Structure formats: structure tokens, C-alpha cells
Amino acid sequence: MELINWVIDLGPSVMMPIIFFLLALCFRVPIGKAFKAAMLVGIGFVGINLIITLLLESIGPAAESMVERFNLNLTIIDPGWPVAAAIGWGSPIVPFAVFGLILVNIILLFLKATKTVNIDIFNFWIFMIVGAIVYTLSGNIWLGVIASIVHFLVTLYIADKTASRIQEDYQLKGISFPHGTTAIFVPVGIAINWIIERIPGLRDVKADPETVTKKFGIFGEPMTLGALIGTLLGILAGFDVAAVLTLGITVAAVMVLLPKMVDVLVEGLNIIREAAETFLKRRFPDREFYIAMDTALLIARPSVLATGLLMIPTTLLLAVILPGNRLLPFTDLASLSFLFAMCAPYLKQNMVRLYITGIAIMTLVLYIGTDIAAGFTEAANLSNVALPSSFHKETELANLVGGATTPLGWIIIKIAGLLS
């Protein structure tokens, strides 16, 4: 566990290049080419993280200002996914859960029950936050481990089933996305799309980025959409003119730069993928394997990123009007694009359909977060997680983007509660 914690503490920007360098050597890639591929993956992650951090640091104050400006007095606070990750990695179940998840993946690969090689160890926290809450509520460490593994198994299944569609739509070969938050909402996107296809008029609305750009010209391009959405968010936040314009330019820059950083990462990934494909096909001619990746690669699509930004004020409105909701959206507001990134191919990258799906997803998240807040807060206390100084000790917690506030996470927590 000391070794695993040391690797995790490096962060994905360092951890992933090391993993990919070792993988490249295993697949007989020459050391110079392996180094180049690993460095490109690392540089891509650094670039993606820098731009996402820029987005979070720009949108975060706007979201906080909206919360204060609209005087949203709700009793459960969203501390953000970093706090949820700290709970997942700080729980007593960690030693057993981490090795259990890795062992389960190896067994499933051996039995040909999955195609996904899940090297995205950093995001194991998404499964372990569910296990941490189950352990906190039940006091049974093995029930917590089993809860994490069940969440992992369902996510692997969805990753395998969605891989070909996502690879084709995003032009990414040989990878899948066993992301315990994003993958779980794919069925919601499929269901929403099925309903929309049966509604005359609505089903005929074309709102994918290509159609919007073709119809509106420069006003439909990603940088213009980013500038308009950033400006709108600044106005809703009550910023002055200079701050509004700055936010507009910043969001426009994110819309343009993020896809370019993804291209750098994919360039390195393709070197390893091609070598892996050749190596594995020679030894396992009847098998196909996918390398697991973080959904950060998917949010660069203009349709996903733009819809995620539009969902910020929408989520705040939902928090106010939904009867019975007590969860105040806060830190995770800037990360909402992650929730429906894997849904986009099934919604034809249509921003209207994505927006409707976003409303459905956030409605589920707010109600689930309200319901599990007590367990989430206890898990945070048990893991000795440091919270922002602005948070009162008596405040209940539940984040928006994480495994526990998905329908699957909620079901697992409820079933575990009955078993305990």
C-alpha cells in the first residue's frame, strides 16, 4: 500500500506516463519510441489538467457568486470530487479494495469476461467512495469491499459495451472508459434519446456542433460558443464588465485548447496501442483488448463542454425548485461535463438532447445526494478528510460528481443497508 499510495500521490500526469512506458516495453516497443510515447501521454495529461484547472479556477468563483447572489440556503454542501476522492482513498477498506479490484480485473481478463485492462488506478476512488459509505453505515469492512467490487463490475460491463460506439464517435481506437461516475449514466442518455426520437418536432432539432457551425457560421464555432457562454455566466454571477469579458475569453480559450491537448495525448497513446494490438493479436488471435482511460479525454468535444457550462445555472435552478432537495451545488459545478460525456455518442452529440439529459441526470444526483448525505458526512469524518475552512462542522456533505451519487451507487448503499 505504501508503494500504491506513492504512485497515486504522483498524480495522473506522472503516474500514467510511467505505466504507459512500462506497457510499451512489455509490448516490445523500442526504448526510445516507448519514451516518446510515454512523454506525449504525460504532456497531454499535463496540458489537459492545466486547461481544466484554468476552467475550474475561472468558473468556480462565478458559481460561488451565483450561489451567494441567489441566496440559496440549502443544508447539504457539495465539497467537490477531490474531497470524495480523499474519502475513498482514506477509508479503512482501501488495502483490500485496491487489490481486490485489480485481482477481479485480472481474473475477468483470464476468463474472457472483459476486454478492458483497467490501468486507471487513480479513479479507483470512485468505487471506493461507495464502499467507504457502506462500511461507515454497516461497520462491516468486507461489505464495503464487496460494494466497491460490485460497482466496479457493472462499470467494466458498461465500458466494454460502449467502447466501440465511443471509439467510432470520438475517433479513439483500442480504449474504453470504465469511469465509475460517467459510465453509470449512459443508460440514462440512451433512455432520453429513445424518448426524444418519439416526440415529433423535438426529434428533428439538429444541434450538433457541425450543424450549428454550418448554420450560424462564426457564431456557431466552439470559440464563439465558449465566449457567449462564459459571458452569460459572468453576467449571472454579477461580475463587472472587465470580469465578464475575461471569463468569456477564458472559456473560449478552453473550448479551443482542450481538444488540442487531447490530440497530443492520443498521439502518444496510438504508438502504444498499435504495438499492443500487434503483440496481443500474435499471442491471442481471437481476443480484443481495451486500455482504460479517464473521461477527461471525452469532455473536449464542444457539445459536451458547452452543455456542461450551460448546466451550471440550470443545476442551481433545479436545486431551488425541486421539492425535497437539500443539496447545494457548489464546488463540482465546474465539472458537470464529466457526468454525460459518455452519453454524447448515443445522443448524436446533439446539444439539445445533451441538455435535456443533463437535467435528468442532475435531478437524480440532487435527490441521491440529499438521501445519502448523512452516510457521506460520516465517511468523511471517519477518513479524517480536511474540509475547506468555510464549511461548518455541523454541515452535511455530498458531492455531485462521484460514484456515490450515481443511481448504481445509491442502490448498492441501500441494499448494503438492508443486509447490515
Side-chain angles (χ1 to χ4, degrees):
M1 280 311 304
E2 288 182 5
L3 176 61
I4 288 178
N5 286 330
W6 181 81
V7 173
I8 293 298
D9 289 341
L10 294 175
S13 298
V14 178
M15 180 180 70
M16 297 307 287
I18 293 173
I19 292 175
F20 276 104
F21 179 71
L22 295 175
L23 277 177
L25 294 181
C26 291
F27 296 138
R28 307 288 177 83
V29 177
I31 190 168
K33 194 173 182 180
F35 177 77
K36 177 182 177 181
M39 288 300 294
L40 285 172
V41 169
I43 291 167
F45 266 112
V46 169
I48 290 170
N49 288 336
L50 283 173
I51 295 169
I52 290 177
T53 299
L54 173 65
L55 178 66
L56 297 180
E57 290 179 349
S58 302
I59 295 297
E64 292 178 21
S65 180
M66 279 185 247
V67 170
E68 295 174 2
R69 191 179 187 199
F70 298 132
N71 195 27
L72 303 182
N73 294 314
L74 300 169
T75 58
I76 302 169
I77 303 296
D78 155 39
W81 70 263
V83 170
I87 296 171
W89 283 110
S91 169
I93 73 168
V94 169
F96 310 102
V98 170
F99 289 108
L101 296 173
I102 293 173
L103 181 61
V104 165
N105 193 196
I106 292 172
I107 292 172
L108 292 177
L109 287 167
F110 180 76
L111 296 175
K112 300 183 180 180
T114 186
K115 299 177 182 179
T116 297
V117 183
N118 195 345
I119 61 172
D120 189 20
I121 297 173
F122 180 81
N123 280 319
F124 276 11
W125 71 265
I126 298 173
F127 312 114
M128 293 190 295
I129 181 65
V130 176
I133 294 174
V134 168
Y135 167 68
T136 300
L137 296 176
S138 68
N140 188 324
I141 198 167
W142 297 112
L143 198 57
V145 173
I146 291 170
S148 300
I149 292 174
V150 171
H151 197 286
F152 179 69
L153 289 172
V154 175
T155 303
L156 269 185
Y157 176 81
I158 295 174
D160 282 344
K161 292 298 181 182
T162 58
S164 59
R165 182 71 175 267
I166 291 175
Q167 288 173 18
E168 179 182 0
D169 194 83
Y170 283 93
Q171 298 180 338
L172 298 168
K173 295 182 179 179
I175 62 176
S176 65
F177 297 89
H179 196 274
T181 300
T182 313
I184 304 305
F185 287 112
V186 171
V188 176
I190 293 173
I192 296 292
N193 191 68
W194 184 88
I195 294 170
I196 290 175
E197 286 292 342
R198 282 151 183 79
I199 301 176
L202 183 59
R203 67 187 176 198
D204 300 320
V205 175
K206 305 292 184 184
D208 59 279
E210 291 76 16
T211 301
V212 171
T213 300
K214 185 177 180 180
K215 186 173 182 179
F216 296 101
I218 186 64
F219 296 102
E221 290 190 6
M223 64 177 178
T224 310
L225 287 174
L228 291 174
I229 293 171
T231 300
L232 173 63
L233 293 176
I235 293 171
L236 290 174
F239 288 172
D240 59 32
V241 174
V244 167
L245 295 176
T246 299
L247 185 59
I249 294 296
T250 301
V251 175
V254 170
M255 295 284 282
V256 173
L257 295 176
L258 190 54
K260 297 185 184 301
M261 291 301 100
V262 171
D263 289 342
V264 173
L265 189 151
V266 170
E267 182 183 349
L269 184 63
N270 281 338
I271 295 173
I272 300 170
R273 181 195 59 78
E274 290 169 3
E277 189 174 42
T278 302
F279 181 89
L280 293 172
K281 279 189 175 180
R282 189 162 55 244
R283 286 159 178 77
F284 307 99
D286 60 335
R287 297 288 305 275
E288 182 180 17
F289 295 93
Y290 305 137
I291 297 174
M293 294 297 291
D294 191 309
T295 45
L297 269 71
L298 303 181
I299 69 166
R301 270 294 180 89
S303 57
V304 176
L305 194 53
T307 306
L309 294 171
L310 288 172
M311 282 304 303
I312 293 174
T314 304
T315 300
L316 291 173
L317 178 61
L318 286 172
V320 173
I321 66 174
L322 289 175
N325 172 63
R326 295 191 296 119
L327 174 56
L328 174 65
F330 196 62
T331 309
D332 270 346
L333 280 170
S335 303
L336 298 183
S337 296
F338 283 90
L339 293 176
F340 42 81
M342 287 178 67
C343 298
Y346 299 91
L347 297 162
K348 303 179 181 180
Q349 297 288 346
N350 186 310
M351 287 182 280
V352 171
R353 299 187 184 202
L354 275 166
Y355 184 70
I356 294 171
T357 301
I359 292 173
I361 288 174
M362 289 315 304
T363 299
L364 289 171
V365 167
L366 290 171
Y367 278 130
I368 292 171
T370 297
D371 189 60
I372 68 166
F376 191 103
T377 306
E378 285 185 47
N381 293 330
L382 185 65
S383 300
N384 295 316
V385 171
L387 298 174
S389 57
S390 58
F391 283 41
H392 299 293
K393 289 184 178 181
E394 63 272 15
T395 301
E396 287 190 307
L397 308 172
N399 71 305
L400 302 179
V401 180
T405 45
T406 64
L408 176 62
W410 180 78
I411 290 170
I412 292 172
I413 290 169
K414 289 300 179 182
I415 292 175
L418 294 175
L419 294 177
S420 61

